[in-house]
Amino acid sequence: GVTVLLLSGCGTTSESTGTGEPTDATSPTASTELEQAQQRWADVGPAAYRMTLASSCGERNGLGVFRVTVTPQGTEVRPLDRWSDETDIQTVPDLFAFIEETTAFGAQVVDVEYDTDLGYPRQIEVDFLVDAIDDEACYLVEDFEPLGLVD
């Protein structure tokens, strides 16, 4: 499951529209961008893939760099250094769920860059409260590789 640290606060949420200008995450543009990315992933995203997932920013569990392999048989998460913690976010659907939850919660900044071909989130930067320290969460997906599995 995906665990999100809940902090009380208020304010507007922003999600990048790809123009570099944050927009209110409740705006049609931001929600449409997320929905379009999810639809693209559903349409053309591979059933099996490998990626490097870096979880950084803030004081929270799950920080580190991980090599993630997802197949229909399951998910394998391997920390790439001795400092990496265990991460709850392991798959592309987990990343989409994190974006939805932080936006619904009312994080003040939710800035996302999506892959134009497959739709998966390439980079996520969240700041729950702009004036608070160490409440941020950042994810970076690199070395994404669809796996062509032979039955």
Side-chain angles (χ1 to χ4, degrees):
V2 176
T3 305
V4 176
L5 177 64
L6 296 179
L7 304 169
S8 63
C10 60
T12 61
T13 308
S14 64
E15 176 173 307
S16 172
T17 58
T19 61
E21 293 297 315
T23 59
D24 187 323
T26 59
S27 76
T29 305
S31 59
T32 301
E33 187 179 26
L34 172 59
E35 290 166 8
Q36 288 173 344
Q38 288 175 308
Q39 189 60 53
R40 200 169 321 122
W41 176 257
D43 290 345
V44 297
Y49 53 93
R50 186 177 295 125
M51 65 183 175
T52 300
L53 177 66
S55 172
S56 61
C57 302
E59 291 288 327
R60 59 193 176 84
N61 291 332
L63 297 175
V65 180
F66 307 90
R67 191 68 178 151
V68 179
T69 303
V70 177
T71 66
Q73 292 74 38
T75 302
E76 177 191 341
V77 179
R78 190 169 44 90
L80 294 182
D81 59 44
R82 63 185 177 147
W83 299 279
S84 294
D85 200 353
E86 288 186 32
T87 180
D88 289 335
I89 294 184
Q90 301 176 346
T91 66
V92 169
D94 289 347
L95 291 167
F96 282 129
F98 177 74
I99 295 165
E100 289 176 326
E101 288 177 19
T102 57
T103 301
F105 171 70
Q108 290 184 310
V109 176
V110 179
D111 191 18
V112 181
E113 176 189 317
Y114 298 99
D115 181 77
T116 54
D117 295 327
L118 299 176
Y120 67 88
R122 295 170 63 96
Q123 187 168 352
I124 304 170
E125 293 181 13
V126 174
D127 192 349
F128 291 94
L129 296 169
V130 174
D131 293 333
I133 297 173
D134 291 337
D135 67 323
E136 301 83 8
C138 305
Y139 291 94
L140 178 64
V141 173
E142 294 182 304
D143 305 323
F144 188 92
E145 173 188 4
L147 299 176
L149 297 179
V150 178
D151 291 329

